[in-house]
């Protein structure tokens, strides 16, 4: 603390003479404190930034030498023979240049660059801030406001500024009239005037006038006036001078002038007209072949399609993307939808739409110029990875894309995956550096419409909603990863977006088949299960029926069951031959271990259908004040269960119906994910996330497949625990990979700038997983109601991030603040230390 106080005193190092440091700004309007950041941003002179009250960048700036070359010369002269000794060792020229080096001068310049100069009180800038505040409140109707400021000394050479505004009474709109020059748009105004932002009896607010100007422009441009100019809308604000001086009322007159056209030397005006579309011409390969004399022509409905040589696309595939219809009234929204739809096809470069007025009547000749993208394109992504399975890895993802494969703007892509990883797992016999392997391939077909036989989806989901059908099939192989899985995936899905903020997705078929190639490796992979089984078997090592299950000769202090013969033999002896009395605690534990082994080693067949809804109001990458909602529901196995009433499926020993020898999964799953960001000030952001999910098995299953279950912990979840190590419930890292079918997670993170591209964060994570309505019997792992929320794990910590613009490299340190696996009296802060902390490395923000 003493060192911290000494460094803090350094904030005045560059505040010399009678100058003072500004440390705080406060803003009052009619004695009410204003915290609105939009208003506070009008203050020009902001105090130095700080991190949790500490002015880091200011103190870094103060560490720099004010005149590093003079300081260097002073250091040389401090001892008479110092400069001569250096000259003999180096040379006089190098001694002279040393003062210009990075060590002496460059370091100081770097500290100044990443630091922040002290904010010295400048009353001229203070007065300028008052002017800006006065202008702002003037836009809100306070035309008689008075502004002052007050300087308060809070310490030696440190001051706080208080800006005070006396608002007075605001002006009120007494009446609204209009003067519209063009007759055609005058009638349009009357049809839509009820939605006006400017209303009688309301307080004057310039924002409403700007909103009304934008509203009228939008109305006219979407009702045929394609060339309407926003600048044509003006306002006259009149105050009756015959009324009393304290009468704060005003009259507003809305003026909409005629269209202004600029010629070479003159400006002419003309009435606005309502336009309809005349001919709509589409040039499919215009940029590649700009000459028009060799164009061929085909008519598709109301459209004229021009092309060179052979038309590459079916005419309907192109016209379905055009929302500008012949003889219909011009609407700006249709033009925007046409741009979005063509771009979404991913077959053309960004289109050019040209409007040409017909000189004889109010019609528009529309020319749409398209330029096709290349038929084939190659891609390659490379990633370097790190996880709890592999300490180093490289992933290669080559891809080939073919466009317009069936002349309907369909896109076909073939993507491969190759992941080479290095693992120190002693159970892997491969001694090469890259000893784990994963590879796969996916084939995807994207159709720019909802493709479903016998259904005309266009009436339900119009093309302006950018509907797509995706059909994919893929396979994946793993070697030396877990049980060496092979998976086959097939997806048949639809998605569409009614607007920029909402997206719907329906996966009509989501089929996944997972085959475990080496189930005998189970106890090598799941070491915790092996240790538990081994400890239960130890007292029976000399039993004649058990002796053969051990490695020979048996070490009496450390007996080891043979994998897999010994482990299987021992569980059979317990569960089938009554080696341990049924109903005893050890018997139940062996039964639980064996049930989990059977579940994780059996092959899985998931035949699911799901729907997801996403709403996101984020406006671009730099928007720090937004929310996102994701709701997803999934049902699996119902179609096969319905089919079982007709087809007599085979059954296994557990009475589960089999498809191709595999018991199919049956469950219902629902998830809710909510993210909210608040922009506090000066790039400070508060981020919140809430997640809840539950998957309930029924019918043909009494548990959830591992690939569809939930886990807790990790860099994007509860950062005080590693992935899969938290839960279920209050169990203490019971299995190597802990998972369950119910999850609750809450995350709160305060993000702030440190210097330049370095960002910092403080976070608190809470959550856990539980078993509910499945075959798990351990009471510590089960969710039994509200009291189970006492088993929520809480982690707090800090992080540092570097922003590369295109992605963020993240390093977070999480501490176990409340550990539900401990006794109630020891749960808080027992493991709150660096020895128990978890270091998380991630790419981009966790939420």
């Amino acid at each position: 603390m003493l060192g911290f106080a000494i460094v803090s005193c350094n904030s005045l190092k560059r505040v010399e003479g009678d100058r003072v440091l500004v440390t705080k700004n406060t803003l009052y309007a009619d004695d009410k404190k204003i915290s609105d950041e939009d208003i506070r941003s009008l203050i020009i002179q902001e105090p130095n930034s700080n991190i949790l009250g500490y002015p880091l960048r200011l103190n870094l700036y103060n560490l720099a030498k004010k005149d590093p070359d003079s300081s260097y010369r002073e250091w040389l002269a401090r001892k008479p023979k110092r400069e001569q000794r250096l000259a003999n060792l180096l040379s006089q020229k190098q001694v002279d240049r040393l003062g210009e080096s990075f060590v002496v001068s460059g370091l100081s310049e770097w500290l100044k660059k990443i630091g922040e100069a002290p904010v010295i009180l400048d009353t001229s800038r203070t007065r300028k801030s008052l002017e800006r505040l006065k202008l702002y409140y003037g836009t809100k109707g306070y035309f008689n406001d008075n502004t002052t400021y007050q300087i308060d000394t809070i310490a030696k050479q440190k001051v706080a500024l208080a800006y005070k505004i006396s608002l007075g009474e605001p002006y009120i709109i007494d009446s609204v009239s209009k003067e519209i020059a063009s007759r055609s748009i005058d009638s349009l105004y009357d049809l839509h005037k009820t939605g006006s932002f400017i209303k009688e009896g309301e307080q004057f607010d310039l924002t409403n006038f700007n909103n009304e100007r934008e509203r009228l422009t939008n109305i006219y441009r979407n009702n045929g006036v394609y060339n309407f100019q926003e600048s044509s809308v003006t306002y006259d604000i009149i105050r009756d001078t015959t009324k009393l001086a304290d009468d704060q009322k005003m009259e507003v007159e809305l003026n909409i002038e005629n269209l202004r056209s600029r010629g070479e030397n003159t400006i002419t005006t003309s009435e606005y007209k309502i336009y309809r579309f005349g001919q709509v011409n589409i040039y499919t390969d215009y940029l590649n072949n700009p000459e028009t004399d060799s164009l061929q022509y085909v008519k598709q409905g109301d459209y004229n399609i021009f092309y060179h040589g052979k038309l590459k696309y079916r005419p309907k595939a192109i016209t379905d993307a055009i929302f500008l219809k012949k003889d219909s009234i011009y609407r700006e929204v249709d033009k925007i939808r046409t741009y979005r739809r063509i771009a979404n096809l991913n077959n053309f470069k960004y289109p050019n739409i040209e409007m040409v007025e017909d000189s004889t009547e109010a019609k528009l000749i529309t020319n749409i110029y398209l330029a096709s993208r290349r038929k084939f394109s190659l891609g390659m992504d490379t990633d370097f990875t790190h996880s709890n399975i592999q300490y180093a890895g490289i992933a290669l993802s080559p891809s080939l894309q073919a466009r317009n494969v069936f002349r309907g703007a369909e896109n076909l892509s073939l993507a491969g995956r190759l992941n080479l990883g290095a693992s120190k797992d002693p159970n892997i016999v491969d001694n090469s550096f890259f000893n784990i392997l994963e590879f796969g391939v996916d084939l995807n077909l994207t159709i720019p419409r909802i493709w479903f036989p016998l259904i005309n989806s266009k009436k339900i989901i119009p093309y302006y909603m950018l509907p797509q059908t995706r059909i994919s099939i893929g396979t994946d192989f793993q070697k030396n990863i877990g049980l060496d899985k092979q998976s086959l995936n097939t997806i048949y899905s639809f998605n569409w977006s009614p607007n920029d903020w909402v997206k719907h997705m329906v996966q009509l078929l989501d089929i996944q088949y997972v085959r475990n190639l080496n189930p005998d490796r189970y106890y090598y992979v799941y070491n915790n299960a092996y240790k538990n089984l081994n400890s239960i078997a130890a007292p029976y090592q000399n039993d004649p029926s058990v002796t053969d299950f051990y490695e020979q000769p048996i070490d009496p202090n450390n007996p080891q069951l043979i994998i897999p013969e010994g482990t299987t033999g021992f569980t059979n002896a317990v569960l089938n031959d009554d080696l341990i009395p049924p109903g005893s605690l050890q018997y139940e534990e062996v039964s639980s271990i064996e049930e989990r082994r059977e579940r994780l080693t059996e092959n899985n067949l998931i035949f699911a259908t799901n729907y997801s809804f996403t709403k996101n109001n984020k406006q671009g990458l730099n928007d720090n004040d937004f929310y996102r909602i994701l709701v997803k529901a999934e049902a699996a196995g119902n179609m096969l269960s319905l089919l079982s009433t007709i087809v007599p499926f085979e059954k296994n020993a557990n009475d589960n119906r089999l498809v191709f020898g595999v018991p199919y999964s049956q469950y219902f799953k629902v998830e809710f994910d909510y993210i909210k960001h608040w922009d506090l000030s000066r790039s400070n952001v508060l981020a919140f996330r809430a997640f809840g999910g539950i998957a309930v098995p029924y019918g043909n299953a009494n548990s959830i497949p591992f690939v569809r279950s939930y886990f807790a912990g990790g860099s994007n979840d509860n950062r005080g625990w590693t992935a899969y190590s938290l839960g279920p419930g209050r169990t203490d890292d019971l299995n190597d990979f802990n998972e369950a079918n119910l999850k609750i997670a809450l995350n709160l993170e305060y993000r702030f700038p440190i210097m330049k591209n370095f960002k910092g964060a403080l976070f608190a994570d809470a959550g856990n997983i539980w078993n509910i309505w499945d075959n798990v019997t351990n009471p510590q792992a089960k969710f039994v109601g509200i009291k189970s929320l006492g088993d929520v794990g809480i982690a707090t910590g800090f992080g540092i991030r570097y922003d590369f613009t295109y992605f963020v490299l993240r390093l977070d340190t999480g501490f176990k603040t409340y550990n539900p696996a401990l006794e109630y009296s020891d749960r808080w802060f027992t493991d709150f230390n660096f020895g128990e902390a978890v270091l998380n490395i991630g790419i981009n923000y966790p939420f």
Side-chain angles (χ1 to χ4, degrees):
M1 292 298 293
L2 178 62
F4 181 82
I6 292 172
V7 175
S8 296
C9 293
N10 197 40
S11 61
L12 295 173
K13 183 177 180 179
R14 294 283 185 261
V15 183
E16 301 171 345
D18 59 352
R19 300 194 301 171
V20 292
L21 183 72
V22 178
T23 60
K24 185 179 180 181
N25 283 331
T26 311
L27 176 61
Y28 297 93
D30 285 344
D31 297 326
K32 181 181 179 182
K33 189 174 181 180
I34 303 299
S35 57
D36 190 312
E37 282 302 320
D38 290 334
I39 302 176
R40 292 182 60 85
S41 65
L42 298 172
I43 299 175
I44 298 173
Q45 202 169 28
E46 286 283 353
N48 289 101
S49 61
N50 63 78
I51 300 174
L52 301 178
Y54 178 70
L56 174 64
R57 295 187 65 191
L58 171 60
N59 284 333
L60 287 173
Y61 183 91
N62 290 339
L63 287 174
K65 299 285 186 181
K66 187 174 183 182
D67 189 353
D69 188 60
S70 297
S71 301
Y72 171 67
R73 288 295 167 187
E74 181 184 345
W75 176 77
L76 283 178
R78 198 170 296 160
K79 291 186 178 181
K81 297 183 179 181
R82 176 175 285 169
E83 183 173 1
Q84 186 59 47
R85 286 198 300 269
L86 284 173
N88 293 337
L89 179 64
L90 304 171
S91 71
Q92 186 61 46
K93 183 177 180 180
Q94 289 177 323
V95 171
D96 293 338
R97 294 190 63 181
L98 186 60
E100 304 171 3
S101 68
F102 173 79
V103 175
V104 176
S105 179
L107 179 59
S108 291
E109 290 301 317
W110 181 74
L111 286 171
K112 289 180 180 180
K113 186 176 180 180
I114 66 171
E116 193 175 71
V119 178
I120 305 299
L121 176 63
D122 183 346
T123 55
S124 66
R125 304 188 76 188
T126 306
R127 289 191 293 272
K128 183 68 175 176
S129 297
L130 286 178
E131 292 175 7
R132 296 175 68 175
L133 289 168
K134 185 176 180 65
L135 288 172
Y136 169 78
Y137 280 104
T139 67
K140 301 300 179 182
Y142 298 100
F143 297 123
N144 300 322
D145 60 327
N146 294 312
T147 57
T148 59
Y149 67 87
Q150 179 179 319
I151 302 174
D152 296 319
T153 301
I154 58 175
K156 181 182 178 182
Q157 290 187 284
K158 292 184 178 181
V159 299
L161 284 173
Y163 295 86
K164 299 183 177 181
I165 301 101
S166 178
L167 298 177
E169 292 297 323
Y171 274 74
I172 305 298
I173 297 173
D174 187 41
S175 63
V176 180
S177 59
K178 66 179 174 70
E179 184 64 37
I180 301 176
S182 300
R183 289 167 296 176
S184 58
I185 65 173
D186 188 11
S187 58
L188 276 175
Y189 175 83
D190 291 337
L191 289 173
H192 298 87
K193 65 180 181 181
T194 55
S196 176
F197 286 94
I198 305 172
K199 294 182 172 63
E200 296 178 0
E202 292 191 355
Q203 180 177 330
F204 175 90
D205 189 336
L206 188 60
T207 302
N208 289 334
F209 286 78
N210 293 330
N211 290 339
E212 177 65 4
R213 183 182 285 111
E214 293 176 3
R215 186 186 80 92
L216 291 175
T217 301
N218 185 59
I219 288 172
Y220 290 136
R221 289 182 180 174
N222 282 287
N223 283 276
V225 191
Y226 91 99
N227 54 356
F228 186 81
Q229 299 167 341
E230 190 172 307
S231 59
S232 295
V233 182
T234 60
Y235 305 95
D236 287 334
I237 299 175
I238 306 164
R239 183 174 182 272
D240 191 346
T241 57
T242 63
K243 295 183 179 181
L244 297 175
D246 60 352
D247 188 345
Q248 307 284 84
K249 293 184 178 181
M250 57 176 56
E251 299 173 0
V252 175
E253 183 179 84
L254 166 68
N255 300 306
I256 302 181
E257 301 172 350
N258 281 332
L259 173 67
R260 295 164 62 92
S261 304
R262 184 182 297 275
E264 291 185 3
N265 301 311
T266 60
I267 295 178
T268 60
T269 61
S270 60
E271 285 197 11
Y272 282 110
K273 298 178 182 179
I274 295 177
Y275 284 85
R276 294 180 178 273
F277 289 106
Q279 297 292 328
V280 180
N281 304 315
I282 306 170
Y283 298 85
T284 60
D285 49 4
Y286 180 77
L287 293 184
N288 293 331
N289 297 279
E291 66 276 3
T292 59
D293 56 349
S294 61
L295 284 176
Q296 299 187 56
Y297 154 83
V298 64
K299 190 172 182 65
Q300 172 69 28
D302 293 329
Y303 300 98
N304 305 317
I305 302 176
F306 297 90
Y307 59 96
H308 292 83
K310 181 180 179 181
L311 183 60
K312 301 175 183 177
Y313 302 85
R314 291 198 304 271
K316 194 174 185 303
I318 300 175
T319 58
D320 281 346
I322 311 299
F323 303 100
L324 312 176
K325 309 292 185 181
K326 185 180 179 181
D327 295 328
S328 65
I329 290 178
Y330 172 88
R331 298 200 314 158
E332 184 83 4
V333 66
D334 291 332
K335 183 179 178 181
I336 294 172
R337 287 171 174 175
T338 299
Y339 276 120
R340 291 179 66 230
R341 175 65 172 169
I342 294 174
N344 186 254
L345 293 178
N346 197 26
N347 271 252
F348 303 97
K349 299 176 183 177
Y350 198 75
N352 179 28
I353 301 177
E354 176 188 56
M355 304 286 181
V356 181
E357 292 184 27
D358 190 325
S359 58
T360 60
E361 51 185 326
K363 286 198 173 183
L364 296 172
I365 298 173
T366 305
N367 299 316
I368 303 173
Y369 302 106
L370 305 176
S372 298
R373 295 178 180 270
R374 292 182 178 179
K375 178 75 172 179
F376 299 99
S377 61
L378 293 171
M380 172 66 78
D381 290 330
T382 304
D383 291 315
F384 295 95
T385 59
H386 169 78
S387 68
N388 57 339
I389 296 176
Q390 57 185 21
Y391 66 87
I394 181 172
L396 303 175
S397 301
S399 62
L400 170 66
Q401 185 172 42
R403 296 182 176 87
N404 192 35
V405 288
F406 303 120
R407 298 184 62 238
E410 304 90 353
N411 295 325
L412 183 69
S413 66
L414 179 66
R417 298 184 306 279
L418 176 62
N419 187 355
L420 300 173
S423 175
K424 294 181 179 179
D425 188 341
N427 297 312
I428 298 178
V429 296
D430 189 344
N431 293 322
S432 58
F433 179 77
F434 288 117
N435 54 1
I436 61 178
L437 171 67
E438 183 176 4
F439 62 93
V441 63
D442 293 297
L443 185 67
N444 290 280
L445 175 65
T446 303
I447 303 171
R449 54 193 171 277
I450 303 298
W451 183 77
F452 194 83
L454 305 178
I455 293 181
N456 182 9
S457 62
K458 184 178 179 180
K459 295 181 179 180
I460 305 171
I461 304 173
Y463 287 147
Y464 73 80
M465 293 185 180
L466 309 181
Q468 282 187 337
T469 299
R470 176 179 167 234
I471 303 172
S472 72
I473 183 169
T475 185
D476 186 84
F477 296 86
Q478 295 177 350
K479 182 179 180 182
N480 291 339
I481 303 177
L483 304 181
D484 294 349
K485 296 181 183 294
Q486 176 190 0
S487 64
L488 294 172
N489 304 279
T490 299
I491 294 176
Y492 176 34
S493 66
F494 314 122
N495 66 80
W496 65 96
S497 301
N499 52 53
D500 292 335
W501 304 280
V502 174
K503 183 175 182 178
H504 302 270
M505 176 178 286
V506 174
Q507 290 189 337
L508 193 61
L509 290 178
D510 182 359
I511 305 173
Q512 184 176 18
Y513 170 66
V514 180
R515 179 188 173 204
N516 294 295
L517 302 178
N518 288 305
D520 289 345
R521 291 188 60 211
Y522 177 81
Y523 285 109
Y524 288 119
V525 176
Y526 297 89
N527 294 121
N528 281 359
Y530 178 71
K531 291 176 182 177
N532 291 340
L533 189 66
N534 214 34
S535 64
I536 296 172
Y540 304 93
Q541 58 184 292
N542 296 321
D543 189 299
S545 64
V546 177
T547 303
D548 292 340
F549 301 151
Y550 282 95
E551 295 179 357
Q552 301 295 329
I554 300 177
D555 182 351
N557 297 318
N558 188 26
Q560 296 291 312
L561 289 169
I562 301 171
I563 302 175
E565 295 87 352
T567 53
T568 302
F570 179 73
T571 54
N572 285 335
V574 172
L575 301 177
N576 299 325
D577 299 335
D578 297 334
L579 178 66
I580 298 176
S584 65
L585 184 63
Q586 287 186 326
Y587 180 93
E588 294 298 328
E589 190 167 354
V590 172
S591 177
S592 177
I593 291 173
E594 179 61 13
E595 285 178 358
R596 179 174 170 82
R597 186 197 68 81
E598 289 181 353
R599 181 166 73 90
L600 296 186
T601 57
E602 73 177 4
N603 299 331
N604 296 126
L605 177 62
I606 303 170
F607 205 100
T609 298
N610 61 63
Y611 164 77
S612 62
F613 168 84
T614 306
K615 187 173 183 180
N616 188 345
N617 71 340
K618 187 172 185 178
Q619 305 280 344
L621 293 175
N622 297 321
D623 186 3
N624 290 324
D625 201 333
F626 68 93
Y627 68 87
R628 193 203 74 172
I629 298 173
L630 170 63
V631 180
K632 182 177 180 180
E634 179 174 292
N638 294 337
M639 194 176 299
L640 293 176
S641 288
L642 184 62
L643 189 62
S644 69
T645 60
I646 304 173
V647 180
F649 290 148
E650 293 183 4
K651 293 185 178 182
N652 61 12
N654 296 322
D655 204 34
N656 299 124
R657 288 184 289 270
L658 307 178
V659 176
F660 303 119
V662 179
Y664 62 85
S665 300
Q666 190 169 12
Y667 60 86
F668 180 75
K669 184 177 185 181
V670 63
E671 296 177 347
F672 174 81
D673 193 4
Y674 175 74
I675 294 173
K676 172 63 179 171
H677 286 201
W678 291 272
D679 191 349
L680 302 179
S681 66
R682 305 178 73 175
S683 299
N684 289 263
V685 176
L686 185 65
F688 170 76
R689 182 192 181 199
F691 176 87
I694 184 172
V696 181
Y698 64 95
N700 202 53
N702 54 17
S703 62
I704 301 300
F706 184 86
V707 294
R708 300 295 172 99
S709 59
Y710 296 111
F711 70 92
S715 63
N716 294 325
D717 192 65
N718 198 317
R719 284 163 280 186
W721 283 262
T722 58
Y724 291 97
S725 66
L726 173 58
R730 58 183 182 273
T731 60
D732 186 13
D733 207 4
L734 185 64
N735 302 300
D736 299 85
F737 299 95
N738 296 282
E739 39 79 38
N741 64 327
L742 170 66
K743 179 174 181 177
I744 297 174
L746 299 170
N747 307 86
L748 187 66
E749 184 168 285
Y750 170 57
R751 300 167 185 168
F752 52 87
I754 298 178
M755 63 181 75
K756 299 298 180 181
N757 292 335
F758 282 98
K759 317 288 183 181
L762 299 174
F763 60 82
D765 301 327
N768 206 336
I769 55 173
W770 293 267
N771 291 94
I772 184 171
W773 301 325
D774 63 3
N775 62 349
V776 174
T777 58
N778 186 347
Q780 293 185 327
K782 294 180 71 65
F783 187 87
V784 293
I786 296 297
K787 68 178 183 179
S788 292
L789 297 180
D791 298 333
V792 167
I794 301 175
T796 55
F798 62 89
I800 186 169
R801 293 85 187 271
Y802 187 85
D803 191 345
F804 287 92
T805 303
Y806 297 105
F807 68 94
V808 174
L809 181 63
R810 175 166 53 91
L811 182 65
D812 292 333
T813 302
F815 300 90
K816 295 179 179 67
T817 307
Y818 179 85
N819 189 348
L822 303 178
E823 294 295 330
Y824 284 101
S825 59
D826 298 329
R827 289 184 175 186
W828 284 103
F829 301 109
T830 299
D831 295 327
F832 196 86
N833 56 74
F834 279 97
E836 298 291 335
V838 175
L839 190 65
N840 298 276
I841 300 174
I843 301 296
N844 293 328
Y845 291 109
F847 53 92

